[in-house]
Amino acid sequence: MVSGHLFHCRKHSWPADEYVNRTTLQLLDFDGGAPPRQAWRRRLNSHANKLKEFSVTFMEAMRMLSLGLRLWSYVREEASYGRKAPIDPFTRESCKPSASLGVPLGGMGSGSISRGFRGEFKHWQILPGQCEMSPVMTNQFSIFITRDGGSKKFSSVLAPGHHEGIKKSGDKGISSWDWNLSGQHSTYHALFPRAWTVYDGEPDPELKISCRQISPFIPHNYQESSYPTSVFVYTLVNTGRERAKVSLLMTWANSIGGVSHLSGDHVNEPFIGEDGVSGVLLHHKTAKDNPPVTFAIAACETQNVNVTVLPSFWLSGDDRVTASDTWAAMVQDGHFGRESFNSGPSRPSSPGDTLCAAVSASTWVEPHGRCTVAFALAWSSPKVKFQKGCIYHRRYTRFFGTSERSAVDLVHDALTKYKCWEEEIEKWQNPILMDEKLPEWYKFTLFNELYFLVAGGTVWTDGEAPAFDERLKFSKKKDKSMKISKPKSTKHNKAALVGHTATVSVTRNEDANVIGSLEGAAGHELSDCEKESGPEIVQGGSHPNAHLDAENVGRFLYLEGVEYIMWCTYDVHFYASFALLDLFPKIELSIQRDFARAVLAEDTRKIKFLADGNWGIRKVRGAVPHDLGTHDPWHEMNAYNIHDTSKWKDLNPKFVLQVYRDFAATGDMAFGREVWPAVRAAVDYMEQFDRDEDGLIENDGFPDQTYDAWTVHGISAYCGCLWLASLQAAAAMAHRLGDHAFAEKCTIKFMQAKQVIESKLWNGSYFNYDSGTSSNSRSIQADQLAGQWYAASSGLPSLFDDSKIKSALQKIFDFNVMRVGGGRMGAVNGMHPNGKVDESCMQSREIWTGVTYAVAANMLLAGMEQQAFTTAEGIFTTGWSEEGFGYWFQTPEAWTTDGHYRSLIYMRPLSIWAMQWALSPPKAIIDAPKVNVMERIYISPLTIRALNENTGVKKIPPKAGCFSSAVCHCDC
């Protein structure tokens, strides 16, 4: 816990009354209309500058030339099958990224839409792995105000800026609308999952308006947090002497982003629901046989609020209602005709046309009176289909069914339950927001970084077995990636395999004999999709999630980033997983179960690794996969193909460490017993990399860890420390589960490895980068104590003396943090001991946001509070503050000292929740016995024999040759 006030941090850096008049705040302070004291803020007229992407140096470009050519060829091959490669640095979005994002809409796992701080709806991710960055400008809220007698009228779109071609003569589209808002007196306030936009006298000087955006992201609530819906609550305060008629208008295009609205066959229809909830359904027919999507826009009619709709309008045409006609009707009447509710479905749109809908809510606001008007948006896409054919139902369908028309029920629940959602959100957030010992910037950045669990690309299924799109069987063009590979026999360590766990080594194929062997090995009848897909571990003769039938939280995927389209990238999840474990622990355990099954699986299909051009098998038994796949998750793992990750040195230790942390934090013995065979296999697999049998693994002279462009020689601080910590975690877990022989084995290795890493890497003040003789072998790596961070986070004893830990962390603070941008940019990955940035490769010279947060968490655990918050504040200053580069709600993986980013909207910055974990560890960790388990484990002759026990995992030869500086567009 933080012991006292952190005076070096600005305690009140974002006071609301510096952005909104204090009187206005007081007037709006009813029914939740006033923004909170702690929030991220921006004026609506702030400039949304374009963001600058990183570039490689000439020497880096030369070193990556061969890789680039192979990657380009791979991207083209994937495109020929109608698929997007998981890493594609050659295709750029037409919409250049800018500093314009805000809090995204909806819960987790059902697609997402972001909303910019100036009000535009953008960054569409309704279909898995597909992202449309540009805004759909028709999607707006607008306001129309008429004072008694009609002498005063105001009308404006509630978003600043000018639409292209505004007021063009004869225009019938949205540029004919009144874009009168300057944004000078309007402000945006964000505290995920809510946001407030305050219009302080715009467009009517005597009307104060607050729009509150609420989404159902509620920790430990595994039902409503899956809902694809958001509410927009308008609070209106009339400060004038005249009664005012106020009409609010929500307009929406039948689109899922990009140019999807032009494809045709889209249909709109009005609806009247229960409890006064009325609106329009927009049925969208997606391209390429993707499942359809239905939007619902609605408002809640009350005694004081009248709701009307316009089911269809168009952006052009002479024989139909246009956007211009829609605006004119609202200016004239402030509402539409009630007969519109009886109009039925519209005719399908034609290709090239844009079909739109509108919902109006009108009310009278008395002089000095107040009123609330609520709108809701929902989208229903019950099926999620991946590009190789597997189809799942989304999590929310367990509560609303599988009809696209469930969007009606979603907006109803949103409009009738949002106050309960807010109570739960405030109950969760207030203890942190009210903690006077914490810096102000930290509080709202902590919550706002959670945007990624919605906008980063998430899929949350109902946990049931998938179906398969039969049409993909008959594709005219044969997909070379679906080559048949006959299963090979694999010896299994009986101690590592409990019950009827089956290891499958087949691929998608039409071979009945292979399918038959699958069914026989697994002990159950496979679904069509499982027959058509790659390896899946099935335990106890049932579906992988059968153990969750009593309380099935489903299966969860989230992308490494919107540019790196790989699900649940594990070396990055190592940093991000603290957020899920703290807020949705059942989801975290579900992900770990998926990886535990994957460890024991093998997929013998051959793939080409782009870094060196060599071929290898997709998934080696015993190796933790890099990811759960891209186009066929859970069945075709390791979409990443830059390096052969079966030779990476950090994935297996990270698996052991995460499993132990989750086991220790939840106290879930069933989980521990279930994943224990995989933990044993993961540890055993790593023994092949201890080639001199000194207990410590060696790196192989190529970038064989998460820093996949940063070469490592010999033993390394990063991988060595992770391995050391994983041995300790495995020993502690074995001890608790009663596997005493394995506990003794890991203890012996731990004691050996600890002596080696200290003798070969400790230089008196920090651990050298590696034991090689290269120019950067003595570099100060910011992440050198990652293993110690996890050990401390899990309640395990320190790996090293406290003096060594604090010395290394202080060195990182003095050099990697304070010598870069005056300590206001975060921690650079590599720094030479002479105080110069390590520029041996792209990644060594970068500042990684998630790693910086992790280093800060490590400092907190070591009692270095001031250094911790100063380090992390650099990410806030550069990424979130007004003086920074504009990375809010799109925190990138990395930036350089000159502010060029790499990989926006990235998973790793969720590691800020590791800081909160360090500040407030769970009760199970706090209450754990403060005993060094390693000292309680008896070393017997049995353990010595176990050291040479046959594990059944594959041994792979050392990498031939050295790919010394693999520079790619990924750091997975």
Side-chain angles (χ1 to χ4, degrees), residues 124-158:
W124 298 71
Q125 292 190 101
I126 304 298
L127 304 179
Q130 299 184 35
C131 180
E132 293 288 350
M133 298 293 292
S134 56
V136 176
M137 292 303 294
T138 306
N139 299 350
Q140 300 287 348
F141 285 100
S142 303
I143 193 165
F144 305 83
I145 305 158
T146 303
R147 296 283 174 177
D148 258 352
S151 58
K152 295 180 182 178
K153 282 193 172 186
F154 304 90
S155 60
S156 181
V157 178
L158 287 175

Side-chain angles (χ1 to χ4, degrees), residues 284-467:
H284 185 87
K285 183 179 180 181
T286 58
K288 300 180 181 179
D289 294 319
N290 281 302
V293 182
T294 296
F295 292 93
I297 56 173
C300 191
E301 189 162 86
T302 67
Q303 184 177 359
N304 301 318
V305 178
N306 179 50
V307 176
T308 58
V309 301
L310 181 63
S312 303
F313 72 89
W314 311 82
L315 300 187
S316 62
D318 296 324
D319 59 344
R320 52 195 179 188
V321 178
T322 63
S324 178
D325 298 330
T326 302
W327 194 265
M330 289 299 298
V331 170
Q332 176 66 34
D333 303 319
H335 59 84
F336 304 113
R338 296 291 299 184
E339 65 275 6
S340 295
F341 283 113
N342 302 318
S343 61
S346 68
R347 70 174 187 268
S349 63
S350 301
D353 282 340
T354 303
L355 176 62
C356 310
V359 174
S360 168
S362 304
T363 186
W364 286 92
V365 188
E366 300 298 325
H368 306 292
R370 303 173 178 182
C371 186
T372 299
V373 178
F375 291 85
L377 164 71
W379 55 96
S380 179
S381 182
K383 294 180 180 179
V384 53
K385 185 179 83 171
F386 294 101
Q387 288 192 322
K388 287 192 175 180
C390 276
I391 300 173
Y392 300 83
H393 283 120
R394 298 189 191 264
R395 167 74 175 165
Y396 79 90
T397 62
R398 293 182 70 89
F399 318 108
F400 290 93
T402 58
S403 168
E404 290 87 10
R405 298 187 66 87
S406 63
V408 173
D409 298 320
L410 283 163
V411 289
H412 173 270
D413 266 31
L415 287 168
T416 56
K417 296 181 179 178
Y418 72 86
K419 290 184 179 180
C420 295
W421 296 349
E422 286 195 289
E423 289 177 4
E424 291 301 310
I425 291 168
E426 290 173 358
K427 183 179 178 181
W428 157 48
Q429 292 183 336
N430 281 343
I432 295 173
L433 296 177
M434 298 298 108
D435 189 341
E436 293 296 326
K437 294 186 290 292
L438 296 174
E440 190 101 349
W441 64 265
Y442 169 78
K443 298 175 185 179
F444 55 78
T445 306
L446 177 73
F447 292 112
N448 284 332
E449 288 284 19
L450 291 171
Y451 83 92
F452 187 85
L453 290 175
V454 174
T458 57
V459 171
W460 193 356
T461 76
D462 61 1
E464 302 300 325

Side-chain angles (χ1 to χ4, degrees), residues 70-255:
R70 284 189 283 265
L71 182 57
W72 179 74
S73 176
Y74 170 68
V75 169
R76 290 191 64 189
E77 181 182 5
E78 285 294 284
S80 72
Y81 300 122
R83 300 192 297 261
K84 182 176 175 61
I87 303 169
D88 179 7
F90 309 106
T91 305
R92 286 288 173 265
E93 293 283 343
S94 57
C95 177
K96 297 295 183 182
S98 62
S100 60
L101 288 185
V103 174
L105 310 175
M108 299 188 296
S110 296
S112 69
I113 307 165
S114 288
R115 192 175 185 222
F117 74 88
R118 296 186 297 190
E120 66 272 35
F121 294 87
K122 58 195 304 181
H123 191 252
W124 298 71
Q125 292 190 101
I126 304 298
L127 304 179
Q130 299 184 35
C131 180
E132 293 288 350
M133 298 293 292
S134 56
V136 176
M137 292 303 294
T138 306
N139 299 350
Q140 300 287 348
F141 285 100
S142 303
I143 193 165
F144 305 83
I145 305 158
T146 303
R147 296 283 174 177
D148 258 352
S151 58
K152 295 180 182 178
K153 282 193 172 186
F154 304 90
S155 60
S156 181
V157 178
L158 287 175
H162 298 284
H163 189 64
E164 289 184 12
I166 189 169
K167 295 299 181 184
K168 181 179 177 182
S169 177
D171 180 72
K172 297 182 179 181
I174 64 172
S175 64
S176 65
W177 295 355
D178 296 328
W179 298 78
N180 296 327
L181 198 78
S182 71
Q184 181 178 358
H185 302 292
S186 301
T187 53
Y188 181 81
H189 312 255
L191 189 65
F192 179 90
R194 297 187 294 171
W196 293 254
T197 306
V198 176
Y199 306 90
D200 193 358
E202 289 190 275
D204 181 347
E206 295 181 326
L207 187 68
K208 311 298 183 184
I209 309 167
S210 169
C211 173
R212 185 163 89 261
Q213 172 187 314
I214 308 150
S215 292
F217 182 98
I218 307 166
H220 307 284
N221 181 327
Y222 296 89
Q223 176 172 332
E224 289 164 307
S225 295
S226 71
Y227 291 1
T229 185
S230 284
V231 182
F232 305 89
V233 182
Y234 280 85
T235 301
L236 309 172
V237 180
N238 183 4
T239 62
R241 297 180 179 179
E242 299 172 307
R243 191 174 182 230
K245 181 183 180 182
V246 180
S247 297
L248 289 157
L249 178 70
M250 183 181 187
T251 51
W252 202 259
N254 197 321
S255 169

Side-chain angles (χ1 to χ4, degrees), residues 537-607:
I537 298 301
V538 183
Q539 304 210 19
S542 61
H543 186 264
N545 272 349
H547 64 281
L548 292 177
D549 283 345
E551 191 178 352
N552 186 354
V553 299
R555 302 178 87 177
F556 190 85
L557 299 169
Y558 66 144
L559 290 177
E560 179 180 337
V562 297
E563 296 179 31
Y564 303 155
I565 308 172
M566 292 165 282
W567 298 108
C568 294
T569 298
Y570 201 73
D571 54 306
V572 185
H573 179 68
F574 176 75
Y575 297 84
S577 59
F578 282 89
L580 284 174
L581 180 58
D582 199 354
L583 306 176
F584 296 95
K586 293 178 183 178
I587 290 178
E588 167 63 9
L589 296 187
S590 173
I591 292 173
Q592 299 295 18
R593 288 184 172 101
D594 284 337
F595 275 92
R597 285 187 290 270
V599 168
L600 300 175
E602 184 170 73
D603 182 349
T604 58
R605 279 173 290 187
K606 297 289 185 179
I607 61 172

Side-chain angles (χ1 to χ4, degrees), residues 905-953:
I905 310 180
Y906 195 79
M907 180 198 293
R908 204 180 320 245
L910 284 170
S911 60
I912 191 174
W913 279 86
M915 295 180 66
Q916 191 57 31
W917 184 274
L919 293 166
S920 300
K923 189 175 186 296
I925 298 293
I926 295 173
D927 294 344
K930 305 303 178 186
V931 178
N932 189 337
V933 175
M934 307 300 284
E935 296 175 353
R936 300 176 60 185
I937 297 174
Y938 169 70
I939 308 300
S940 70
L942 177 64
T943 303
I944 305 301
R945 292 196 298 272
L947 287 171
N948 299 314
E949 184 180 347
N950 177 25
T951 64
V953 301

